[in-house]
Amino acid sequence: MTATASLTAPQPHADLNLLSDTDFRAAVRGWIATNYPQDLRSPPKRLHAAEAMPWYKILSQQGWLAPGWPREYGGMGLTPSKLLILIEEMERYGCARLPDTGVTMVGPLLIAHGTDAQRAYHLPKILSGEVIWCQGYSEPNAGSDLAALRTSAVREGDQWVINGQKVWTTLGMDAQWIFVLARTNPQAAKQKGISFFLVPMDTPGVTVRSIINIDLHDEFAEVFFDDVRIPADAIVGAVNEGWTIAKNLLGFERLFLGSPKQSEGALDHLERLCDHLGKRGDYASLLNGLRMELEDHKSFYTTFADKVRRGDTLGPDVSMLKINQSALYQKIADRIMDVAGELGTLAGQVPDAPTLYPGSVFLQARPTSIYGGSSEIQRNIVARQVLGLGR
Amino acid sequence: MTATASLTAPQPHADLNLLSDTDFRAAVRGWIATNYPQDLRSPPKRLHAAEAMPWYKILSQQGWLAPGWPREYGGMGLTPSKLLILIEEMERYGCARLPDTGVTMVGPLLIAHGTDAQRAYHLPKILSGEVIWCQGYSEPNAGSDLAALRTSAVREGDQWVINGQKVWTTLGMDAQWIFVLARTNPQAAKQKGISFFLVPMDTPGVTVRSIINIDLHDEFAEVFFDDVRIPADAIVGAVNEGWTIAKNLLGFERLFLGSPKQSEGALDHLERLCDHLGKRGDYASLLNGLRMELEDHKSFYTTFADKVRRGDTLGPDVSMLKINQSALYQKIADRIMDVAGELGTLAGQVPDAPTLYPGSVFLQARPTSIYGGSSEIQRNIVARQVLGLGR
Amino acid sequence: MDVVNATGEDRLEGLRMLVGSAAGVAARDGDLKAVRQLRFGRPGLDRGRWSEISAMGWLGLRLPEAAGGAGLGMAEYAALTGEVGAALLPEPFIEAQLALDLMGKDAPAEALSGDRLILPAWLDAPDGLTIAGDITEAEGRISGRRRFVPMAAAADAFLVVSSEACWLIDAKAAGLSLEIEDTVDGGHTATLILDGVEADRLSAPDAKALEAAALATASALLGIMERAFAITLDYLKTRVQFGQPIGHFQALQHRAVDMEIEIGLTRAVLHDAIEAFDAGDDCRRITSRAKARAADAAMLVTREAVQLHGAIGYTDEADIGLFLRRAMVLAPRYGSAGFHRQRYGSLTEGRP
Amino acid sequence: MDVVNATGEDRLEGLRMLVGSAAGVAARDGDLKAVRQLRFGRPGLDRGRWSEISAMGWLGLRLPEAAGGAGLGMAEYAALTGEVGAALLPEPFIEAQLALDLMGKDAPAEALSGDRLILPAWLDAPDGLTIAGDITEAEGRISGRRRFVPMAAAADAFLVVSSEACWLIDAKAAGLSLEIEDTVDGGHTATLILDGVEADRLSAPDAKALEAAALATASALLGIMERAFAITLDYLKTRVQFGQPIGHFQALQHRAVDMEIEIGLTRAVLHDAIEAFDAGDDCRRITSRAKARAADAAMLVTREAVQLHGAIGYTDEADIGLFLRRAMVLAPRYGSAGFHRQRYGSLTEGRP
């Protein structure tokens, strides 16, 4: 009998902070292996809400959907250290990413800045999977320059009237609610005068149009607001304070933008591709060099993860982690195309090796240097805020 | 009897434009092989004037010192096409670079903008080797920003009085004369109000201090001007028009900043180093990849050389040639250090292989991305003047 | 007139006219709606345009006049594939040309006229420029397999190639089956399974035809990157962020310059390779250099072009992604950069 | 107290104190005149400083307390070599330490006290971390050759190492000759020719001592790049061109960021490697990772540091070049990046 098997399976909603890190990891690993839907392992593309729902519900029933929320709000209340373990184990097993905007963004936002009524109404619906959220940040003319947004919200009586357009709304087609950054004071300086609103997607005047990405997947959407009227209490926090709230929304989640997971998956893909082509030996030196770079990136990641574990706040230097992750991921994806030959031209999987889809891996690696702040913007941030090279 | 040997050796001062390109190349190749001093072949560092003088004199006696000058001024008057052949053959044989500022810069300058008296006085002295020239362009606070120069020339009676400092004067220790860019109108905009002067180095107030470079060679000098008085006729061209003259001074010579010669030499060094280490096979793929890049660069070079051959003016796009040459040369030099192991740490030659000096090759490759306009400045030029991306 | 040996100026003038005439079919600035409409469909090309192409005499371009061709050289051929590449035409111009080159004087008139589209099937590995073996022939029927035949669903016939012979087979012949897969650019590629297919045996292939196809593909890749870069430059000049066109940011300017250098290098190498080809030299080394450089440069330039477009570049509705995806398909065709580097190395060994 | 197993906080506090105490001998911001004065001279180091170093107890750092050492771990050792690296001290601290590690309990007291400088001679190839063979021993005398012994002109004695044994020989012993070559940093390196040299045979070497030397060198390289980067940042903030500090130019900003990332990566890998070493694991793979990364990163950072200084960076009078030249010397020592990548690969084969 192994040490792992001797642990009792974790009970739903139990306080797992009481376990040691080692026991916690073993418990999590065992539970995932038992409960994760096998047909969802390492999906080639991001799952839509309907596809991911079985896993969403399983986590919900176990009380594991919101590992970072306090227990009083229905979360697991995990310490940062245990939260990282949970995420590592999920990544290791190939668990699909959920439509997680409600859990990672809306929940923490309402817990920190919402009213009691907002919390009472929204949090349970997120936890149950009844409501899927999406985000309304970017706009067509406010890409990297987020604060240049133009969507407006005007107070009329006891309502706010929203007009404008959002873009790059991840899984926007799947969501029932959206949170929206809108300009409430057009006279104020760029980052002032922005407020934060919660909007049901079925409000009259809201239109969604899906965007097909370069890998031909409808991962994103555009959302149009045409005289959309919402009640006065649909605002989160104070009027004109939305930018501050939005900026702080991503706390230690910024760590995950630099996670080695994507590079690891791509390198694994490259290795299997070399095996498939019978060329593992020919590419030994290439694979070894990339493996070392990946391991080095993991060491780099650990530096920042350790900060989170200690409960420290991540500084602007975490941007370096994302720059390096994007560069490495894309470098590996580029090498996949070099090695693949004609196999890299296929839109779908390789017929006689369906776990290989080199062209798709290559295309999926493209946006990583854009989303969450492009590598150029990240370098600007590091140059100014870490190195003090600002104008 | 080969075709080459059947040609009569070229007579001194003969008009070689009358030969076909093929015959010209053969004649030049034969003459160099017969006349070039063997101990000066492919020197590891730039030669000082005293070291290079034997070759200078041989060329002078043959009438080949100034291939680009018109025959009426004592040059060879070669067509651009033949001039390129001459240079190619000299590079191929490993002929050392001369202290050539007089030939490549001062001569053309005086021929275009000088007075008859200036031409009559200076040109013969350059051709005979009696006077070695150096240039006074850069200043400590006008590096990449050449037009920011501060050295001043003030008119007092029939004299100009020069004060200031020049730096990066190549072989400044070896020269008898210097040409100097100095500000003659401090009120004018940056590039206006600059004039061009000819100054004997033994004028009271001129001080020279050699600069040791990173490869520990005294290739450069600083030149200080402390109330240096020169006659009114020491100016070239009109007052305040020096910048225009200086800018046009480098015509098709800009081609040579992008010559594949340095990369070729470095790759040859790398190949010989691999042979010495018995690792030619291990590095076959590296060497092959670099060889292909070098051949590609030669094709690129040919594109621009063909323009010169046709008599066209080189545009700002020739900066791309220099960017690529610098990058390739430094890349090869970097690989030399990767391969060399402890041999790359030696300040001098490898004891049992004196034609190898990997550390020195690496260090000599460093400034190539700086002189003649840094790679950043060159990229700015291309972005603005070729791609139209200027502000 | 012997065009290949014409004097420089005459030939350049001819080239300019040829490229000018191409604009009617393959415009460098044409809109890409038609291209989009054909994506992921079958047969995936426009037979009307194919007729136009043949009517312009492009198909017999390199065949001697005696064989019904125009007797033009590699320079003219590559100039046209550059335009076809830039226009992102899905029609298999290079493949049809390759089939004609391989058949030479045996080429049927309906192929030259565009009425019969014959595609070559010569490869049985995911990479390379080596004609596959393993075709067995018995009583006028052939068996075997050929992979990666582009746009095979559109073919009226296939030219099956092995090192010893070529065979012409009808696309509807009994015993022939196709396994078709979509490619990322919206085209497709097929595996041909031949099981006792009735075939006309033709003479052995001239390997130089494949060199021509590789160079023609390099030129198509050059056309792709030139246009992708032009579109990107335009975007850099017009897209405003932080209060100014993004082309004012030095980091983006420098990346644009590096793209232009890659394009310039490709153009220069290709020029030298075409010259060597037309001079009749053994041009395998320089062909490898041209194809390797073009493949790598096209991937870099189109990748960067997408990146410089920011988020919009990652949507299917942005045209710029079409160029990346076509580059992905053409980069490995007739040998990937890696294959050609290796070939260059093995052809170089022992040379001074 | 068992330092290596002390709790995190106690150990960190100890490390901070150790680094603080190092500033007297090896200041991170010290001026480099003294370093320049010793360049290209013999013996090329400062015996006074060597005495100070030993007086601070650094030499016996890693030896057990029973053998007269301080019983500290790799973390402390690497912290000190980082400072020595940043200060560009020419004294062969790592080499002397390696000799002591190899001798262990046999280490003579004069070596620990700094009165006798013993340098190890273990290499006979231009690259690697493999102890050379080919030392023949007869009647207490040894013959053979060892290459690349740094700062050999300063040695009082050499520890000749082969895979089977170590031998201590006097630097003035009959039969020993040195062929000394200058190194680019102003130090030197020597080949030892041994022709029947009287020698004290000691026990066989523990190969882990070389792993420690490789990690210590990686840390020295980190110190070099940290300081070179700090100097460069300063320059970017103060040097004015085109009317503004050059650090305002985005292209230069981004290059500085890439340097900082390389430094961060090196620091992270080194941290993990040191932890593995002190935990007593087989740390050859991670040592290779640390040394390869440090060597490549130090070359990149110091190269870029010189480049970002513009023309002044290429003069010998600019201090920044000293860092590049020291990096050139330390990068291949105890195995180049290429060697360590190869070793990592061969140690990895067959692992899951």
Side-chain angles (χ1 to χ4, degrees):
Chain A
M1 210 172 192
T2 67
T4 311
S6 70
L7 286 162
T8 26
Q11 293 302 306
H13 303 282
D15 184 356
L16 300 183
N17 282 321
L18 305 173
L19 298 179
S20 73
D21 279 3
T22 314
D23 288 348
F24 176 74
R25 188 183 291 278
V28 163
R29 187 176 292 190
W31 185 86
I32 292 172
T34 310
N35 291 281
Y36 189 76
Q38 288 304 302
D39 58 329
L40 297 185
R41 260 185 105 167
S42 302
K45 301 190 178 189
R46 175 116 193 224
L47 299 184
H48 277 293
E51 299 165 311
M53 204 40 77
W55 176 228
Y56 200 111
K57 295 283 188 190
I58 290 166
L59 285 169
S60 171
Q61 280 149 26
Q62 180 70 8
W64 284 18
L65 189 69
W69 298 9
R71 291 180 58 76
E72 53 184 306
Y73 295 113
M76 292 174 84
L78 288 186
T79 60
S81 156
K82 290 211 165 46
L83 180 51
L84 285 183
I85 291 172
L86 180 65
I87 290 163
E88 280 165 19
E89 289 300 317
M90 287 196 179
E91 290 189 347
R92 202 189 61 82
Y93 198 76
C95 298
R97 187 164 169 199
L98 294 174
D100 53 10
T101 304
V103 171
T104 60
M105 303 184 91
V106 181
L109 172 83
L110 294 181
I111 290 167
H113 304 282
T115 62
D116 284 345
Q118 285 171 333
R119 282 193 281 265
Y121 182 81
H122 290 291
L123 299 187
K125 290 186 167 53
I126 292 171
L127 288 172
S128 68
E130 188 186 335
V131 169
I132 299 297
W133 282 81
C134 65
Q135 50 87 353
Y137 266 24
S138 300
E139 299 187 6
N141 290 303
S144 291
D145 186 11
L146 207 53
L149 59 84
R150 292 184 193 167
T151 295
S152 68
V154 177
R155 185 66 182 258
E156 290 187 10
D158 60 352
Q159 290 187 317
W160 289 98
V161 184
I162 302 183
N163 278 288
Q165 179 189 351
K166 294 292 175 180
V167 74
W168 315 126
T169 299
T170 307
L171 300 182
M173 302 292 286
D174 301 355
Q176 288 81 44
W177 281 70
I178 184 170
F179 67 81
V180 176
L181 280 180
R183 192 164 295 284
T184 37
N185 180 357
Q187 269 74 53
K190 253 189 183 184
Q191 278 131 353
K192 316 272 174 189
I194 291 173
S195 303
F196 210 116
F197 298 96
L198 308 177
V199 184
M201 298 287 277
D202 58 4
T203 315
V206 176
T207 321
V208 190
R209 193 175 73 84
S210 73
I211 301 174
I212 313 289
N213 73 10
I214 201 170
D215 192 32
L216 304 178
H217 183 51
D218 56 343
E219 187 179 351
F220 301 107
E222 287 178 292
V223 185
F224 300 87
F225 298 85
D226 184 14
D227 277 337
V228 173
R229 289 173 182 274
I230 50 170
D233 63 1
I235 196 167
V236 183
V239 177
N240 295 334
E241 292 295 325
W243 181 252
T244 319
I245 292 178
K247 239 181 36 178
N248 296 331
L249 205 52
L250 286 176
F252 73 86
E253 284 84 357
R254 290 188 297 153
L255 178 64
F256 302 120
L257 290 172
S259 159
K261 181 192 168 192
Q262 291 176 313
S263 295
E264 179 108 58
L267 183 53
D268 177 60
H269 208 104
L270 177 56
E271 286 170 345
R272 288 186 291 108
L273 178 63
C274 290
D275 285 342
H276 174 73
L277 294 168
K279 292 192 170 178
R280 183 76 169 237
D282 294 353
Y283 292 111
S285 163
L286 171 72
L287 294 172
N288 183 55
L290 292 173
R291 170 63 56 191
M292 289 177 79
E293 285 195 60
L294 174 60
E295 295 300 320
D296 286 4
H297 181 75
K298 286 186 192 169
S299 291
F300 202 27
Y301 178 80
T302 304
T303 309
F304 293 92
D306 280 348
K307 273 194 196 174
V308 170
R309 263 181 219 112
R310 288 194 304 266
D312 293 354
T313 310
L314 289 173
D317 56 340
V318 75
S319 286
M320 294 195 288
L321 192 67
K322 190 193 169 223
I323 296 168
N324 199 56
Q325 138 64 13
S326 303
L328 179 57
Y329 179 30
Q330 294 187 335
K331 180 179 186 174
I332 297 170
D334 293 351
R335 295 297 85 75
I336 284 178
M337 288 303 285
D338 290 348
V339 168
E342 292 277 353
L343 300 181
T345 71
L346 303 176
Q349 293 140 315
V350 174
D352 51 343
T355 63
L356 293 176
Y357 32 89
S360 210
V361 173
F362 173 79
L363 287 169
Q364 284 173 27
R366 294 308 105 201
T368 182
S369 48
I370 285 288
Y371 63 64
S374 73
S375 294
E376 288 74 47
I377 298 290
Q378 305 279 4
R379 283 194 174 86
N380 290 348
I381 292 171
V382 176
R384 285 164 201 187
Q385 297 180 33
V386 180
L387 304 181
L389 291 176
R391 283 175 191 272
Chain B
M1 211 174 190
T2 67
T4 310
S6 69
L7 288 162
T8 24
Q11 293 303 309
H13 301 282
D15 184 356
L16 299 184
N17 281 321
L18 305 175
L19 298 179
S20 74
D21 279 4
T22 314
D23 287 349
F24 177 73
R25 188 183 292 278
V28 163
R29 187 176 293 189
W31 185 84
I32 292 172
T34 311
N35 290 281
Y36 189 76
Q38 288 305 303
D39 57 331
L40 296 184
R41 261 185 104 166
S42 301
K45 302 190 178 191
R46 174 115 195 223
L47 299 184
H48 276 294
E51 298 164 313
M53 203 39 77
W55 176 227
Y56 200 113
K57 295 280 191 196
I58 290 166
L59 285 169
S60 170
Q61 280 149 24
Q62 180 70 9
W64 286 18
L65 189 69
W69 296 11
R71 291 179 60 77
E72 54 184 302
Y73 295 114
M76 291 174 84
L78 287 187
T79 61
S81 157
K82 289 211 167 47
L83 180 50
L84 286 182
I85 291 172
L86 179 67
I87 290 164
E88 279 166 20
E89 289 300 318
M90 285 195 181
E91 289 189 346
R92 205 189 60 84
Y93 198 77
C95 299
R97 186 164 170 198
L98 295 174
D100 52 10
T101 304
V103 171
T104 61
M105 303 183 91
V106 180
L109 173 83
L110 293 182
I111 290 167
H113 303 283
T115 61
D116 284 344
Q118 284 171 333
R119 281 193 281 266
Y121 182 81
H122 291 293
L123 299 189
K125 290 187 165 58
I126 292 172
L127 288 173
S128 68
E130 186 185 334
V131 168
I132 299 297
W133 282 81
C134 64
Q135 49 87 354
Y137 265 24
S138 300
E139 298 187 7
N141 289 304
S144 292
D145 188 10
L146 207 54
L149 58 85
R150 291 185 193 164
T151 294
S152 68
V154 177
R155 186 68 184 256
E156 291 187 8
D158 59 351
Q159 288 189 318
W160 289 98
V161 184
I162 301 182
N163 278 287
Q165 179 188 352
K166 294 291 174 180
V167 73
W168 316 127
T169 299
T170 307
L171 302 181
M173 302 293 286
D174 301 355
Q176 286 83 42
W177 280 71
I178 183 171
F179 67 80
V180 177
L181 279 180
R183 194 165 292 285
T184 37
N185 179 357
Q187 267 76 50
K190 252 188 182 186
Q191 278 131 354
K192 318 272 175 189
I194 292 173
S195 303
F196 211 116
F197 298 95
L198 308 178
V199 184
M201 298 289 278
D202 59 4
T203 316
V206 176
T207 320
V208 191
R209 192 175 73 84
S210 73
I211 301 174
I212 312 288
N213 74 9
I214 201 169
D215 192 32
L216 304 177
H217 182 52
D218 55 344
E219 185 178 350
F220 301 108
E222 288 177 293
V223 185
F224 300 87
F225 298 85
D226 186 13
D227 277 335
V228 173
R229 291 174 180 272
I230 50 171
D233 63 2
I235 195 168
V236 182
V239 177
N240 295 334
E241 291 296 324
W243 180 252
T244 318
I245 293 178
K247 239 181 33 174
N248 296 332
L249 203 52
L250 285 176
F252 73 87
E253 284 85 357
R254 289 188 299 153
L255 178 65
F256 303 119
L257 289 171
S259 160
K261 181 190 170 193
Q262 290 176 314
S263 295
E264 179 109 59
L267 183 53
D268 176 63
H269 208 106
L270 177 56
E271 285 171 344
R272 289 186 289 109
L273 178 63
C274 289
D275 285 340
H276 175 74
L277 294 168
K279 291 191 169 180
R280 182 77 169 235
D282 294 354
Y283 291 111
S285 163
L286 170 72
L287 294 172
N288 183 55
L290 292 173
R291 170 63 57 191
M292 290 178 78
E293 285 195 60
L294 174 60
E295 295 299 322
D296 286 4
H297 181 75
K298 286 186 193 169
S299 292
F300 202 28
Y301 178 79
T302 304
T303 309
F304 293 94
D306 280 348
K307 274 193 197 176
V308 170
R309 263 181 221 115
R310 288 194 305 266
D312 294 352
T313 310
L314 289 173
D317 56 339
V318 73
S319 286
M320 295 195 289
L321 191 69
K322 188 192 171 222
I323 295 169
N324 199 56
Q325 138 64 12
S326 303
L328 179 57
Y329 179 31
Q330 293 187 337
K331 181 178 185 176
I332 297 170
D334 292 352
R335 293 298 84 75
I336 285 177
M337 288 304 283
D338 291 348
V339 167
E342 293 277 353
L343 300 182
T345 71
L346 302 176
Q349 292 139 316
V350 172
D352 50 345
T355 62
L356 293 176
Y357 33 87
S360 208
V361 173
F362 172 80
L363 287 169
Q364 284 174 26
R366 295 307 106 203
T368 180
S369 49
I370 286 288
Y371 61 64
S374 74
S375 294
E376 288 74 46
I377 298 290
Q378 305 278 5
R379 282 194 175 85
N380 290 348
I381 290 172
V382 176
R384 285 165 202 187
Q385 298 180 32
V386 180
L387 304 180
L389 290 175
R391 278 173 196 274
Chain C
M1 191 183 85
D2 181 347
V3 172
V4 176
N5 294 316
T7 62
E9 264 316 306
D10 285 352
R11 192 167 187 194
L12 277 176
E13 182 53 31
L15 272 172
R16 271 190 291 267
M17 283 175 57
L18 191 67
V19 168
S21 71
V25 190
R28 281 225 167 201
D29 54 355
D31 95 44
L32 295 161
K33 277 201 204 96
V35 168
R36 287 181 177 275
Q37 274 159 5
L38 291 168
R39 293 195 305 162
F40 302 109
R42 301 281 183 274
L45 54 73
D46 180 345
R47 283 304 280 247
R49 183 160 49 215
W50 191 246
S51 301
E52 284 181 62
I53 284 174
S54 60
M56 294 176 80
W58 293 6
L59 295 183
L61 191 79
R62 292 183 60 237
L63 289 186
E65 292 180 35
L72 296 173
M74 193 66 226
E76 289 75 17
Y77 180 28
L80 288 181
T81 61
E83 300 309 303
V84 170
L88 296 182
L89 298 193
E91 286 76 25
F93 176 47
I94 295 173
E95 283 66 43
Q97 194 73 55
L98 172 59
L100 289 168
D101 280 354
L102 288 166
M103 292 185 286
K105 59 180 174 29
D106 298 334
E110 320 91 83
L112 281 168
S113 70
D115 295 327
R116 194 167 189 221
L117 176 57
I118 305 177
L119 293 179
W122 58 278
L123 187 63
D124 195 26
D127 198 1
L129 197 61
T130 315
I131 293 172
D134 288 336
I135 294 291
T136 55
E137 183 180 26
E139 301 170 13
R141 290 171 183 277
I142 57 171
S143 298
R145 187 179 77 155
R146 286 293 178 264
R147 292 169 75 192
F148 303 110
V149 180
M151 305 308 283
D156 301 308
F158 296 103
L159 186 74
V160 178
V161 186
S162 83
S163 43
E164 307 103 52
C166 300
W167 294 268
L168 194 59
I169 62 173
D170 195 85
K172 297 197 183 65
L176 167 63
S177 56
L178 297 186
E179 291 169 0
I180 300 182
E181 300 286 330
D182 282 339
T183 48
V184 286
D185 61 344
H188 58 269
T189 189
T191 298
L192 268 59
I193 315 282
L194 305 160
D195 186 10
V197 178
E198 200 181 332
D200 283 345
R201 186 189 178 107
L202 308 178
S203 50
D206 173 7
K208 195 155 183 189
L210 281 171
E211 303 294 320
L215 274 183
T217 304
S219 184
L221 286 161
L222 176 61
I224 289 170
M225 61 182 121
E226 283 172 341
R227 187 168 173 194
F229 185 60
I231 292 171
T232 303
L233 265 188
D234 229 43
Y235 187 79
L236 290 174
K237 290 173 188 173
T238 51
R239 167 77 172 168
V240 171
Q241 292 265 280
F242 301 103
Q244 53 187 316
I246 58 175
H248 284 185
F249 291 102
Q250 196 186 28
L252 303 191
Q253 289 181 345
H254 286 196
R255 283 167 68 175
V257 171
D258 289 340
M259 293 160 79
E260 175 76 355
I261 290 174
E262 283 296 326
I263 293 171
L265 279 163
T266 307
R267 205 180 281 131
V269 180
L270 195 55
H271 175 273
D272 285 357
I274 289 167
E275 212 165 71
F277 190 101
D278 277 341
D281 303 344
D282 172 7
C283 58
R284 287 175 300 158
R285 287 171 79 236
I286 195 164
T287 297
S288 280
R289 202 141 66 67
K291 182 65 195 355
R293 171 64 67 173
D296 280 349
M299 288 301 284
L300 182 137
V301 169
T302 56
R303 218 159 63 200
E304 284 283 273
V306 165
Q307 172 83 15
L308 289 171
H309 274 74
I312 191 78
Y314 299 108
T315 65
D316 184 54
E317 61 195 274
D319 283 340
I320 196 65
L322 300 178
F323 293 85
L324 171 60
R325 286 192 263 168
R326 180 59 56 86
M328 288 169 73
V329 170
L330 291 192
R333 197 168 285 171
Y334 304 108
S336 70
F339 166 82
H340 279 290
R341 271 194 291 272
Q342 220 157 27
R343 189 175 84 149
Y344 184 91
S346 55
L347 290 170
T348 305
E349 266 159 37
R351 287 172 77 114
Chain D
M1 191 184 82
D2 182 347
V3 172
V4 176
N5 294 315
T7 62
E9 264 316 308
D10 285 354
R11 194 169 185 195
L12 278 176
E13 183 52 32
L15 270 173
R16 271 191 290 269
M17 285 175 57
L18 192 66
V19 167
S21 72
V25 182
R28 280 225 167 202
D29 54 356
D31 94 45
L32 295 162
K33 277 203 204 93
V35 167
R36 288 181 177 275
Q37 273 157 7
L38 291 169
R39 292 195 305 163
F40 301 108
R42 304 277 184 274
L45 54 74
D46 178 347
R47 283 304 282 245
R49 184 159 50 213
W50 192 246
S51 301
E52 283 181 64
I53 283 175
S54 61
M56 295 176 82
W58 293 8
L59 294 183
L61 191 79
R62 292 183 61 236
L63 290 187
E65 292 180 33
L72 294 172
M74 192 66 225
E76 289 75 14
Y77 179 28
L80 289 181
T81 61
E83 300 308 303
V84 170
L88 297 182
L89 298 192
E91 286 76 25
F93 176 46
I94 295 173
E95 283 65 42
Q97 194 72 54
L98 172 58
L100 289 167
D101 280 356
L102 288 166
M103 292 184 287
K105 59 181 173 31
D106 298 335
E110 320 92 81
L112 281 168
S113 69
D115 294 328
R116 194 165 189 223
L117 176 57
I118 306 177
L119 293 179
W122 58 279
L123 187 63
D124 195 26
D127 198 0
L129 198 60
T130 315
I131 292 172
D134 290 334
I135 294 290
T136 54
E137 184 179 25
E139 300 170 14
R141 291 173 183 277
I142 57 172
S143 298
R145 186 180 79 155
R146 285 294 179 263
R147 292 169 75 192
F148 304 109
V149 180
M151 305 307 284
D156 301 307
F158 296 102
L159 186 72
V160 179
V161 186
S162 82
S163 44
E164 306 103 52
C166 300
W167 295 268
L168 195 58
I169 62 173
D170 196 85
K172 298 199 182 64
L176 168 63
S177 56
L178 296 187
E179 291 169 359
I180 301 182
E181 300 286 330
D182 282 339
T183 48
V184 286
D185 62 343
H188 58 268
T189 189
T191 298
L192 268 61
I193 315 280
L194 306 159
D195 185 10
V197 178
E198 198 180 335
D200 282 346
R201 187 189 175 106
L202 307 179
S203 48
D206 173 6
K208 196 157 181 184
L210 280 171
E211 303 293 319
L215 275 183
T217 304
S219 185
L221 285 162
L222 176 61
I224 288 170
M225 61 182 122
E226 284 172 339
R227 187 169 174 194
F229 186 60
I231 292 171
T232 303
L233 265 189
D234 230 44
Y235 187 80
L236 290 174
K237 290 173 188 173
T238 50
R239 166 77 172 170
V240 171
Q241 293 264 281
F242 302 103
Q244 53 187 317
I246 58 174
H248 283 185
F249 291 102
Q250 197 186 27
L252 303 191
Q253 289 182 347
H254 286 197
R255 284 166 69 174
V257 171
D258 289 341
M259 293 160 79
E260 175 75 354
I261 291 175
E262 282 297 325
I263 293 170
L265 278 163
T266 307
R267 205 181 279 132
V269 180
L270 195 57
H271 175 272
D272 285 358
I274 289 167
E275 212 164 72
F277 190 102
D278 277 343
D281 303 343
D282 172 7
C283 58
R284 286 175 302 158
R285 286 172 79 236
I286 195 163
T287 296
S288 280
R289 202 143 64 69
K291 183 66 198 343
R293 171 65 68 173
D296 280 348
M299 288 302 284
L300 183 136
V301 169
T302 55
R303 217 158 66 197
E304 283 283 273
V306 165
Q307 171 82 14
L308 289 171
H309 273 74
I312 190 80
Y314 299 107
T315 64
D316 184 55
E317 61 196 271
D319 283 340
I320 196 67
L322 301 178
F323 293 85
L324 171 60
R325 287 192 263 171
R326 180 59 56 85
M328 288 170 72
V329 170
L330 290 192
R333 196 169 285 173
Y334 304 109
S336 70
F339 167 82
H340 279 290
R341 271 195 291 271
Q342 220 157 27
R343 190 175 83 148
Y344 184 90
S346 56
L347 290 169
T348 304
E349 268 159 36
R351 288 174 75 116

